[in-house]
Amino acid sequence: SSGINAEYGVVEKAHKATIWGVRHLPQNRDIYMTLGGNGSICLWKYNYPKERTKLDSNGVEMGVAGTVEQIQNVVLGTQPISGFDWSPDKEGLCVCSGFDQTIRICIVTRLKSL
């Protein structure tokens, strides 16, 4: 489930388990990957709001939260994904590790079209 919570901003249910980490794509800060305790990784995109600020009931300017969109998710194993990093040189190239004692090299394609 997703929505906007007045106190916390944007709320999105990402994994059906604990989120172990998040890493932003170095080439585009609006794209990021979350790491799930159920062995999954989810790719997300942050979308900026049309207006970045608005006036509250007292006429004081306040920030407006954008939205997040889940682009892709994949289950890589049955154990938590505990480590992840993007390549600073090759967009979409990444590495992750999990409690199952494996290291995986992954390639995320079509990032420029997001």
Side-chain angles (χ1 to χ4, degrees):
S1 67
S2 66
I4 295 184
N5 180 300
E7 186 177 349
Y8 299 109
V10 176
V11 176
E12 183 72 34
K13 186 85 170 162
H15 300 267
K16 295 180 180 175
T18 303
I19 296 176
W20 281 79
V22 61
R23 294 288 185 271
H24 288 267
L25 182 67
Q27 296 85 1
N28 182 348
R29 68 181 183 184
D30 301 337
I31 307 292
Y32 59 96
M33 190 77 75
T34 55
L35 320 176
N38 62 348
S40 67
I41 56 175
C42 294
L43 184 68
W44 301 87
K45 180 176 187 236
Y46 177 76
N47 298 300
Y48 289 93
K50 291 182 181 182
E51 295 183 19
R52 303 288 292 270
T53 61
K54 68 178 183 179
L55 298 179
D56 68 9
S57 60
N58 297 322
V60 177
E61 191 173 65
M62 61 183 277
V64 176
T67 60
V68 291
E69 173 186 3
Q70 186 177 24
I71 305 300
Q72 186 60 271
N73 69 323
V74 64
V75 176
L76 299 174
T78 59
Q79 298 293 314
I81 303 299
S82 55
F84 182 92
D85 207 0
W86 294 103
S87 169
D89 301 318
K90 179 68 176 167
E91 186 177 73
L93 182 63
C94 55
V95 62
C96 64
S97 61
F99 280 16
D100 59 1
Q101 300 182 6
T102 60
I103 295 175
R104 293 174 176 87
I105 306 297
C106 304
I107 298 175
V108 181
T109 60
R110 300 187 185 132
L111 288 169
K112 295 234 187 273
S113 65
L114 298 177

